[in-house]
Amino acid sequence: MLRISQLCKIFTSGNGMEQTALDCVDLHVGPGDFVTIIGSNGAGKSTLLNAVAGVYGVEQGRIWIEGQDVTLWPEHRRAALIGRVFQDPMIGTAASMTIEENLAMALKRGCRPGLRFGVNQQNREHFQELLSLLDLGLENRLKEPVGLLSGGQRQALTLLMATVSSPKILLLDEHTAALDPKTAEQIGELTRKIVASRRLTALMVTHNLQDALEFGNRTLMMDRGNVILDVRNPRRAKMTVDDLLEQFASLRGKRLLDDRALLA
Amino acid sequence: MLWSALVGTIEQGLVYGIMALGVYLTFRVLDFPDLTVDGSFPLGAAVAAKIIADGGNPFWGVCLAIVAGCAAGLITGVLNAKLKISGLLSGILTMTALYSVNLRIMGRANIPLLRKPTVINWFGQYGLTPWMFFIVVLILTKLLLDTFLKTEVGFALRATGDNEQMPRSCGVSTDSMKLLGLSLSNALVALSGALVAQYQGFADVGMGIGTVVAGLASVIVGQALVRVNGLGWATLGAIVGSIVYRLAIFGALRLGLEPTDLRLITAVLVVIALSGPSLQSIWEKYLRGKDHAADIPTL
């Protein structure tokens, strides 16, 4: 479903300093895989997701989605194949537009916008049905601007928008990190439910090692632009957070204490 | 005397209202501070006036003015979206360039249109007074704009002005939306310029100075007056704002201010309207400080 070969991304700062964010990463994600990605700050997790989404070009390497080479596609073109949820709940939705208008745009993902009316009655019934799955009462608030919703509600809506048109790949970039623990848990549950029911292929970056093992069927650990660990079920199912930390320490060859502080 | 002056003022408010709708589209919908307007307004006037003065069909002149405005907006859009020049500077660059372009089009600094066939005269033959004609054009423009903003493209345009990441992750090219928004806006501004030239009977190369600020004043005043949420109300607000703005200027002139003072008044008006919330919080802080000062026991 997603294939990445020899992908390199180097950031150059204003004074010419170079920072290798992705160091020749190879990755193959099969259809229906739900991959969690962990690693300390600066390991390249978000860079990997952004490179797949097309936020920036890469120095080297290729990216294929469902057999199509998308390496040179601009971000908005790739969006036809990719759904995304961001860490900041404000980014995924347009605050001044209503819930139904936001959903209508998400539903048209990848189609060229035309001069038809953006929302019609048929859409509305569909949206109500979809929103009722969230169990947040949003189905009765279609005409309210999204700016009136709480962070958690907006993130739930973003998740719905990212998945409503069944994207080939769903990218979740620490999408529960900015929420309070209870809301984070709800959004996590919702993520699980939606990914399972739509049989989506997903990549999820998280800082929570417990979540990394509990979500999905495969876990990647990244460090300094490389994938240093790649475990799948059933082996992964037996792993604990301590196992992960131990693996990290031995692979990286650094003292465990530091790493626990970094990863947690 | 006063009555006819009032009618004239309202006519001005109506015809400049088309410009205010254009400014609304960029400043409010697209969240783009577009200064191209100071150049595209006289551009519309120049194109229409040149064609009319050369004996051409005034309707043709208005159409070409709209196309020219579109092109001007497109240039600003390309400078900003494709060449990554900041929004403000892109507009200033286009506006500056348009000054020369407008002089080239007109061939001189001023084209009088007295006793020439204008669009307004043409409708006048059928008993349509200028204000009736302007109202029809304005309402048609407003309804078209309202409807457009409810279409899929309209959604994409609004989302681009709200939060660029959202439309982009929904597959919309935000660059294209900026180009589209800027060209539509400047098309409206040029249309307004073309009609103003025919209404006042001349086109002048300097007639664009302060257009943006006047448009902005209209949008802000309208927003303060029409406090109902919703797209249709916002565009109505821009129109009402335009009329109120012209009436305010009319009042200022009757109070004995010189016409040359108008730009100062407009600028001050916009500053007050924009800084309203900050001024209010400064004032409240000041009051609170005063209260506390009173609480401190004196020795």
Side-chain angles (χ1 to χ4, degrees):
Chain A
M1 187 58 80
L2 170 68
R3 203 151 71 82
I4 292 171
S5 125
Q6 293 292 303
L7 199 68
C8 290
K9 175 69 197 171
I10 298 166
F11 288 111
T12 312
S13 68
N15 55 13
M17 291 269 287
E18 289 193 344
Q19 174 77 38
T20 305
L22 291 177
D23 187 6
C24 296
V25 172
D26 286 298
L27 182 66
H28 183 92
V29 180
D33 269 357
F34 185 171
V35 183
T36 60
I37 305 174
I38 52 174
S40 51
N41 288 326
K45 313 176 298 282
S46 292
T47 310
L48 180 67
L49 254 56
N50 284 335
V52 171
V55 176
Y56 26 64
V58 291
E59 272 67 34
Q60 189 196 314
R62 295 265 147 209
I63 302 168
W64 290 269
I65 298 175
E66 245 197 356
Q68 291 182 88
D69 185 343
V70 301
T71 316
L72 297 176
W73 289 20
E75 186 180 356
H76 65 88
R77 189 170 168 207
R78 285 192 218 185
L81 308 172
I82 295 173
R84 284 170 82 191
V85 185
F86 310 86
Q87 180 173 356
D88 182 348
M90 305 301 147
I91 291 183
T93 46
S96 66
M97 295 171 71
T98 62
I99 295 179
E100 62 177 17
E101 288 170 344
N102 272 275
L103 273 169
M105 284 195 64
L107 197 63
K108 288 281 168 190
R109 177 190 299 281
C111 310
R112 216 186 161 77
L115 287 174
R116 287 172 297 265
F117 277 109
V119 188
N120 56 39
Q121 200 48 45
Q122 204 183 341
N123 285 154
R124 281 196 186 104
E125 280 158 26
H126 184 202
F127 294 158
Q128 278 179 330
E129 222 171 278
L130 288 167
L131 286 165
S132 63
L133 294 177
L134 301 182
D135 219 7
L136 293 171
L138 296 182
E139 61 273 19
N140 303 319
R141 300 170 64 181
L142 281 181
K143 289 187 188 297
E144 279 183 38
V146 167
L148 295 179
L149 304 185
S150 70
Q153 288 171 328
R154 279 181 81 162
Q155 203 65 327
L157 182 62
T158 309
L159 190 60
L160 190 63
M161 286 168 60
T163 52
V164 67
S165 59
S166 293
K168 303 298 173 209
I169 297 168
L170 176 64
L171 301 177
L172 308 164
D173 193 352
E174 291 191 54
H175 70 304
T176 62
L179 306 172
D180 65 80
K182 191 162 166 274
T183 314
E185 201 177 311
Q186 285 172 349
I187 297 292
E189 227 17 77
L190 195 61
T191 309
R192 232 190 280 262
K193 204 166 91 181
I194 291 179
V195 171
S197 68
R198 291 187 170 261
R199 293 199 192 82
L200 296 172
T201 307
L203 270 68
M204 177 173 105
V205 169
T206 177
H207 265 124
N208 185 328
L209 299 186
Q210 196 64 44
D211 281 355
L213 290 174
E214 281 177 7
F215 280 79
N217 59 352
R218 180 178 170 190
T219 297
L220 300 181
M221 188 186 281
M222 291 189 70
D223 184 49
R224 284 177 262 183
N226 290 296
V227 175
I228 56 170
L229 179 73
D230 183 355
V231 283
R232 299 163 196 254
N233 282 345
R235 187 183 148 213
R236 193 190 75 138
K238 294 191 210 87
M239 288 180 84
T240 63
V241 171
D242 283 324
D243 293 337
L244 268 185
L245 284 169
E246 224 165 280
Q247 287 270 5
F248 184 62
S250 67
L251 284 163
R252 203 183 183 210
K254 249 192 152 190
R255 276 178 305 133
L256 191 65
L257 267 176
D258 287 355
D259 302 332
R260 191 186 279 275
L262 272 174
L263 272 167
Chain B
M1 175 63 193
L2 178 67
W3 177 245
S4 73
L6 259 179
V7 170
T9 306
I10 291 172
E11 281 169 353
Q12 277 189 21
L14 291 169
V15 69
Y16 279 95
I18 303 168
M19 179 273 290
L21 286 177
V23 171
Y24 164 78
L25 186 61
T26 42
F27 269 84
R28 283 285 179 252
V29 178
L30 205 54
D31 195 21
F32 188 104
D34 179 28
L35 300 190
T36 318
V37 169
D38 270 23
S40 56
F41 185 79
L43 173 68
V47 170
K50 176 70 181 166
I51 287 173
I52 293 169
D54 286 355
N57 183 333
F59 287 94
W60 175 233
V62 170
C63 289
L64 270 188
I66 293 173
V67 173
C70 234
L74 209 60
I75 291 170
T76 303
V78 168
L79 291 182
N80 174 246
K82 301 291 179 197
L83 304 182
K84 307 292 171 208
I85 298 172
S86 84
L88 270 176
L89 189 55
S90 304
I92 292 174
L93 288 169
T94 313
M95 174 188 89
T96 307
L98 280 175
Y99 187 83
S100 304
V101 173
N102 293 342
L103 273 173
R104 277 274 177 193
I105 291 173
M106 296 203 291
R108 52 194 155 140
N110 188 298
I111 297 181
L113 293 174
L114 295 171
R115 284 184 296 278
K116 295 279 181 191
T118 64
V119 175
I120 296 161
N121 301 341
W122 193 86
F123 280 106
Q125 296 166 24
Y126 301 97
L128 222 58
T129 55
W131 66 266
M132 290 181 199
F133 170 61
F134 292 151
I135 281 190
V136 171
V137 176
L138 196 54
I139 289 182
L140 276 180
T141 313
K142 175 196 148 39
L143 291 180
L144 267 177
L145 186 60
D146 289 345
T147 312
F148 170 72
L149 290 175
K150 284 184 199 133
T151 63
E152 290 166 12
V153 188
F155 281 12
L157 195 76
R158 286 161 57 202
T160 302
D162 185 305
N163 164 15
E164 280 195 40
Q165 186 60 61
M166 182 269 191
R168 232 183 278 145
S169 41
C170 285
V172 169
S173 159
T174 49
D175 284 357
S176 314
M177 286 306 128
K178 283 183 198 164
L179 295 184
L180 178 70
L182 283 165
S183 30
L184 281 180
S185 162
N186 283 289
L188 291 179
V189 172
L191 167 64
S192 177
L195 293 180
V196 166
Q198 297 176 56
Y199 173 64
Q200 68 187 14
F202 65 92
D204 186 274
V205 73
M207 70 192 276
I209 303 169
T211 310
V212 170
V213 182
L216 199 52
S218 308
V219 171
I220 295 168
V221 169
Q223 202 176 18
L225 292 176
V226 184
R227 289 170 176 271
V228 188
N229 283 329
L231 287 174
W233 294 103
T235 45
L236 182 68
I239 294 170
V240 171
S242 176
I243 296 170
V244 170
Y245 169 72
R246 295 291 152 184
L247 286 172
I249 285 186
F250 175 71
L253 289 176
R254 285 196 65 90
L255 286 175
L257 283 159
E258 295 295 321
T260 42
D261 295 334
L262 290 181
R263 303 228 198 280
L264 176 65
I265 298 166
T266 309
V268 171
L269 191 75
V270 172
V271 168
I272 292 173
L274 284 178
S275 61
S278 330
L279 285 177
Q280 200 175 351
S281 79
I282 291 172
W283 178 241
E284 275 165 11
K285 239 182 226 168
Y286 168 74
L287 285 183
R288 225 178 300 146
K290 234 175 150 183
D291 285 353
H292 284 300
D295 288 345
I296 299 168
T298 45
L299 287 171

